[in-house]
Amino acid sequence: MTHDPALEAHEHAEHAEHAAHEHDPFISRVSITIAVLAVLAAGVGSLETIEAGGAITAASEAVLSQDKATDVWGEYEADSLKKHLYGIAADAGGAKAAQYAGTAKEQIAKQAELKKQAQEDETERDKLLATSRTHEHRHHWLTAAATLLEIGIAICTVAIITHRRHFWLGSIGLGLLGLALFGAAYLL
C-alpha cells in the first residue's frame, strides 16, 4: 500500500464531516481540527517528497559531474605523458627534434584547457552536492513536521472517542509544532 497524503487528507476530512453531523460543538471543533491537520499533513508530505527527489537528483548529477572531471583529468595525465615523451625525443636531437619540441608545446596548451575544464566540472560537482544537502536537510525537517501533524490527527481521534478536551488541545499543540518544523525546513 502506498502513502498518498492527498488521499489520506480526503479520508480524514470525510471522517470529520461525519463526526460533525453529531451536532456536538466539541465534536465539531475537533472534526474541523482533524480536517485542517489533514490538509496541512498532505501539503507537508508532498513537499517532503519533492525535497527527497531534489536531493537524489542533485546527488546523481554531482556524480555525473565528478565522472566528467575524472575523465578529463585522465586525458590531462595522458597528455602529460605525451608531452614528456615528445620533450625527451626533442632533447635527443635528430631531424625531427624541432617538430617534437613543437608538439610538446602543443601538449602544454592542451593541458591548460583540460585542467580548466576538469576544475569547472569539479566546481559544478560541489555546487550540486551543496544543493543535494540543502534538499536533504529540508526533507528531514519536513518528515518531522508531517509526523507531528499525523500524530495530531490521531490524538484528535482519541479526543473524539474520549470527549477529553486536553487531547484536543494537545493535538493542536502538535499541529503548531509541526508548522514550526515546516517553517524551520525553509528558514534554517
Side-chain angles (χ1 to χ4, degrees), residues 79-105 107-108:
D79 286 348
S80 179
L81 290 173
K82 290 178 195 174
K83 175 186 71 176
H84 289 300
L85 289 175
Y86 282 115
I88 291 169
D91 290 344
K96 295 188 176 185
Q99 179 184 353
Y100 293 148
T103 304
K105 286 182 183 178
Q107 293 298 322
I108 292 171

Side-chain angles (χ1 to χ4, degrees), residues 47-103:
L47 289 172
E48 175 190 9
T49 301
I50 289 168
E51 293 295 345
I56 292 168
T57 300
S60 296
E61 290 175 1
V63 169
L64 293 175
S65 289
Q66 178 58 54
D67 285 347
K68 286 183 195 176
T70 300
D71 289 347
V72 174
W73 280 121
E75 189 175 347
Y76 175 90
E77 290 300 321
D79 286 348
S80 179
L81 290 173
K82 290 178 195 174
K83 175 186 71 176
H84 289 300
L85 289 175
Y86 282 115
I88 291 169
D91 290 344
K96 295 188 176 185
Q99 179 184 353
Y100 293 148
T103 304

